[in-house]
Amino acid sequence: MTISKEQVQHLAKLARIEITDSEVRILASQLSDILEHFEALEDVDTKDIAPTAHPAPLRNIMRTDEVEDSLSKEDVLQLAPETEDGLIRVRAVLE
Amino acid sequence: MVTTLDQFETVIGLEVHVQLITNSKMFCSCSADYSGAEPNTHVCPVCLGLPGVLPVINEEAIRLIVAIGLSLNCKVSDFSKFDRKNYLYPDLMKGYQVSQFDLPICENGWQDLEIDEGLFRCGITRVHMEEDTARLLHRKNAGGSYSLVDINRSGVPLVEIVSEPDMRSPEQARAYLISLRQLLRMIGASNANMEEGNFRCDANISLRPFGETELGTKVEIKNMNSFRSVYDALCFEQVRQAKALIEGENIVQETRGWNQEKGITISQRVKEEANDYRYFPEPDLPPLTLSNDFVENIRSEIPELPSAKKQRFVSLGLNEFEAGTLSEDRSRANYFDNLVESLEGKSERAPKLAANWMLGEVARWDNEHVGKELSEFPIKADSLAELIVLTEEGVITNAVAKQVFEKMLSDGLGAKQIVEKDGLAQLGEEAGDELVAIVRSVINDNDKALADYLAGKSSALKFLLGQVMRQTKGRADHALVQSLLEAELEALE
Ligand SMILES: [Zn+2]
């Protein structure tokens, strides 16, 4: 199975990553190699095997509904490149 | 404008998002109470989506979603998991929303609705758990437009309830939303307030010619912030689609936004790749295998819902109207249940008697005390039962029972006490002589009525009967007085 240049561009767009034409070529080839590698799994008969939802044998890990301290507002806002009135400022989002 | 709707059947399915009432967020211990909180003060590395953090499921949220699922007659999965729904938007801190893709916690249920045409059952496809997004504020100034982010809401437990496309009119859609809201509030799962944003609804609507079994092309409507706007948007959209179909146009599968001011739906920019969410299992959250005990424990704590109450009341022998009126209000239903329980073993007609009093004298008090609940009614259910039993056993007449009821309200005394103190016991056979004397004096004092009676006017008998009852203050056995009167009058003929 191969990954086309269009698929790479599509994925880049979904991930909001800008990539050059030469990067598209390299990534298409590398991603195709990876998929090819995984194709080895197709030799395994999985007809009667349920999909694995989680690799660890853990179930029902839950916590009680209790509130604990959050970060200080200053700590939160200093992570953002731009703020205004205690809010994080981002580029306009089209409604 | 000629309406064109009679040619088409409308098909509606609703997706409702509700915020749960929990103390903390879905996967972290930040407070979930964002309303009124200072922006960006309920934020931690988990809901901020910083690398290396470990989210942990809030058990209370799971209990609440199971309660919702059970109330909607869903099957609770013995195996469910969380998935990442990937998309990039500034309201999403992690670049994905934790949701459930193919193995939701609850599925395959239904909700019974009462509409004018009768009972109607709407299928529930699934009820799944996810997390809310951050709140965006849109600003505009001289430099252009921009957005501001408040992360407090990000990670608040959110439940999505997806209905089957079973609704056939905007009225049914509204009835569904109203009953869903009632149910969510009753079980304490959500405040379910659309105006406050903790109950949100998207609607899918399509039209098809009557008789057609295939679904038409559907349109999704968003941006509705009240039950009224959902109803209005669906009404608008069904006419828009009908017109387009009649004119031979194709309906475009798209998302349309409801514009409240203009009262129309507007096509929203078709977002390319909008549905390319690349779901995959959430590696940080182990699956849930909720035990039978866990589920049954929650089921046992769910209060009886109005529809179930109504059915139970009907099975007790009440008619639809009685059962409906008594079940629609929780405190009224509770009072009725207590009353029936107090009457148990004392009368075979206990439910019917209780219903008569509830819809008669008790309802009158209720109507006169707007804003009060029946839990504040001054006569306790067992006291009222005592009065009903006195009436049933013939100790007092129905007319006297009403007087005693008023006395109980004003004086706070028990029924038996009042009957004894005021000498209100019924005058029956044992008081025959006394009654005959009263009957005779009434006949003597009412010449005109007597003349009328002798002239064949049957209403005169009723008048005389009324006079006797008045003289005995309603205490006389009605049937006995009637036979005594008839005997005395016959003797005069
Ligand atoms: Zn947090």
Side-chain angles (χ1 to χ4, degrees):
Chain A
M1 191 177 168
T2 56
I3 292 275
S4 69
K5 286 177 194 165
E6 289 71 32
Q7 280 172 307
V8 173
Q9 275 156 347
H10 173 63
L11 287 170
K13 193 174 176 185
L14 287 174
R16 307 287 191 275
I17 296 170
E18 200 174 68
I19 47 176
T20 64
D21 284 350
S22 67
E23 281 171 324
V24 170
R25 264 196 307 278
I26 295 164
L27 285 167
S29 145
Q30 287 180 347
L31 288 170
S32 298
D33 286 349
I34 293 168
L35 275 185
E36 209 167 288
H37 194 61
F38 272 90
E39 270 166 22
L41 291 171
E42 282 178 12
D43 294 338
V44 184
D45 180 8
T46 57
K47 196 159 58 76
D48 297 320
I49 299 172
T52 301
H54 199 273
L58 297 168
R59 298 287 183 265
N60 308 322
I61 308 297
M62 296 191 260
R63 63 182 174 84
T64 50
D65 181 27
E66 279 163 12
V67 175
E68 282 169 28
D69 285 347
S70 299
L71 293 173
S72 75
K73 188 169 132 183
E74 292 64 38
D75 281 347
V76 173
L77 293 180
Q78 59 94 17
L79 294 167
E82 215 181 334
T83 64
E84 183 178 311
D85 300 334
L87 295 143
I88 293 162
R89 184 172 165 154
V90 295
R91 273 186 288 174
V93 179
L94 284 175
E95 271 289 80
Chain B
M1 185 185 73
V2 182
T3 58
T4 44
L5 278 174
D6 42 359
Q7 300 181 33
F8 300 100
E9 180 177 51
T10 302
V11 177
I12 298 169
L14 298 177
E15 288 171 19
V16 171
H17 284 90
V18 288
Q19 267 174 7
L20 299 182
I21 301 172
T22 56
N23 298 320
S24 64
K25 291 188 181 182
M26 188 61 224
F27 302 115
C28 65
S29 301
C30 290
S31 166
D33 184 13
Y34 64 90
S35 66
E38 196 186 339
N40 296 312
T41 53
H42 296 174
V43 181
C44 76
V46 174
C47 54
L48 209 44
L50 297 185
V53 295
L54 188 64
V56 186
I57 297 165
N58 181 341
E59 182 173 346
E60 179 61 14
I62 301 302
R63 297 184 67 83
L64 291 174
I65 191 178
V66 168
I68 294 172
L70 291 173
S71 306
L72 291 170
N73 307 291
C74 288
K75 179 186 170 294
V76 177
S77 261
D78 49 19
F79 188 98
S80 59
K81 69 173 170 75
F82 288 93
D83 300 275
R84 289 187 181 180
K85 178 180 180 178
N86 299 280
Y87 64 94
L88 281 175
Y89 203 68
D91 66 359
L92 215 50
M93 299 303 110
K94 302 190 279 271
Y96 59 83
Q97 179 189 31
V98 178
S99 181
Q100 296 194 288
F101 181 52
D102 56 342
L103 297 171
I105 295 179
C106 311
E107 49 192 340
N108 295 331
W110 73 84
Q111 168 79 326
D112 281 334
L113 309 170
E114 260 189 81
I115 50 172
D116 291 342
E117 301 95 80
L119 201 65
F120 160 75
R121 177 164 289 187
C122 180
I124 304 292
T125 315
R126 57 187 276 161
V127 179
H128 75 247
M129 190 79 241
E130 56 188 39
E131 55 178 342
D132 210 344
T133 57
R135 207 161 55 95
L136 292 179
L137 304 167
H138 305 290
R139 292 282 157 83
K140 209 174 224 166
N141 64 13
S145 309
Y146 58 95
S147 298
L148 295 171
V149 189
D150 172 11
I151 308 173
N152 285 353
R153 199 181 68 183
S154 177
V156 167
L158 199 64
V159 163
E160 181 170 345
I161 302 165
V162 183
S163 87
E164 289 288 299
D166 284 349
M167 286 159 272
R168 294 291 173 267
S169 67
E171 287 77 15
Q172 289 187 357
R174 185 168 56 189
Y176 170 81
L177 292 176
I178 289 171
S179 87
L180 195 57
R181 175 177 65 185
Q182 186 186 35
L183 179 152
L184 290 164
R185 289 179 178 173
M186 195 112 180
I187 62 176
S190 173
N191 289 323
N193 190 321
M194 236 177 143
E195 283 78 4
E196 285 170 12
N198 46 43
F199 184 108
R200 304 165 209 156
C201 173
D202 298 334
N204 289 305
I205 173 169
S206 63
L207 263 55
R208 63 183 171 191
F210 277 103
E212 174 66 55
T213 51
E214 295 276 303
L215 290 172
T217 306
K218 72 174 177 187
V219 164
E220 184 177 19
I221 316 176
K222 288 182 179 288
N223 295 347
M224 299 164 291
N225 52 20
S226 67
F227 285 2
R228 178 83 217 175
S229 60
V230 174
Y231 177 79
D232 288 346
L234 288 169
C235 287
F236 172 85
E237 189 61 21
Q238 67 178 355
V239 172
R240 185 191 71 84
Q241 291 188 18
K243 279 201 217 157
L245 289 169
I246 283 176
E247 279 161 28
E249 290 170 29
N250 278 332
I251 302 294
V252 183
Q253 178 156 359
E254 61 179 348
T255 299
R256 298 177 72 89
W258 171 243
N259 185 308
Q260 184 74 43
E261 291 75 45
K262 294 182 181 153
I264 57 171
T265 64
I266 299 167
S267 178
Q268 293 187 331
R269 189 174 53 95
V270 182
K271 282 187 215 136
E272 281 171 274
E273 286 91 59
N275 290 317
D276 199 346
Y277 291 132
R278 295 150 295 145
Y279 281 98
F280 64 86
E282 165 60 83
D284 288 340
L285 296 168
L288 291 172
T289 55
L290 302 178
S291 72
N292 199 44
D293 280 356
F294 183 89
V295 174
E296 289 311 313
N297 176 274
I298 293 166
R299 193 194 300 277
S300 69
E301 285 170 11
I302 296 175
E304 187 180 32
L305 301 170
S307 56
K309 268 205 172 85
K310 190 182 165 189
Q311 279 174 24
R312 185 164 59 78
F313 291 171
V314 167
S315 74
L316 288 175
L318 306 195
N319 64 35
E320 283 285 316
F321 173 76
E322 292 166 337
T325 310
L326 292 175
S327 62
E328 70 190 11
D329 178 275
R330 201 170 172 178
S331 78
R332 198 182 301 155
N334 285 345
Y335 193 95
F336 173 73
D337 272 330
N338 290 337
L339 189 53
V340 173
E341 201 189 327
S342 304
L343 286 169
E344 212 132 277
K346 291 172 183 145
S347 167
E348 283 172 12
R349 306 193 302 141
K352 203 75 187 173
L353 287 171
N356 288 345
W357 276 89
M358 292 296 300
L359 299 176
E361 302 307 303
V362 180
R364 207 156 49 78
W365 180 90
D366 209 7
N367 293 336
E368 286 165 3
H369 296 80
V370 178
K372 283 205 175 182
E373 299 223 327
L374 266 189
S375 49
E376 300 167 70
F377 184 53
I379 303 176
K380 297 290 155 238
D382 52 347
S383 297
L384 183 56
E386 187 181 290
L387 174 63
I388 295 173
V389 170
L390 288 175
T391 316
E392 266 302 276
E393 289 173 346
V395 176
I396 54 173
T397 62
N398 283 323
V400 167
K402 282 175 189 159
Q403 298 169 28
V404 175
F405 180 85
E406 293 302 328
K407 265 240 149 84
M408 290 169 77
L409 272 180
S410 58
D411 299 358
L413 298 174
K416 268 188 189 145
Q417 234 177 323
I418 294 169
V419 169
E420 273 164 34
K421 195 165 77 79
D422 297 357
L424 293 174
Q426 174 160 279
L427 301 171
E429 298 287 353
E430 73 290 342
D433 293 347
E434 192 184 335
L435 284 176
V436 169
I438 295 171
V439 163
R440 283 181 183 154
S441 86
V442 163
I443 293 172
N444 275 332
D445 296 348
N446 291 279
D447 292 342
K448 181 162 186 307
L450 177 61
D452 285 349
Y453 176 79
L454 294 173
K457 274 194 190 166
S458 61
S459 62
L461 180 67
K462 272 203 187 114
F463 172 79
L464 292 168
L465 187 64
Q467 292 302 306
V468 176
M469 294 309 286
R470 231 176 98 174
Q471 293 229 352
T472 60
K473 297 198 177 70
R475 288 165 60 210
D477 179 336
H478 201 265
L480 180 61
V481 170
Q482 177 147 1
S483 68
L484 289 174
L485 248 180
E486 281 167 351
E488 289 294 321
L489 289 168
E490 243 168 64
L492 291 173
E493 271 182 90

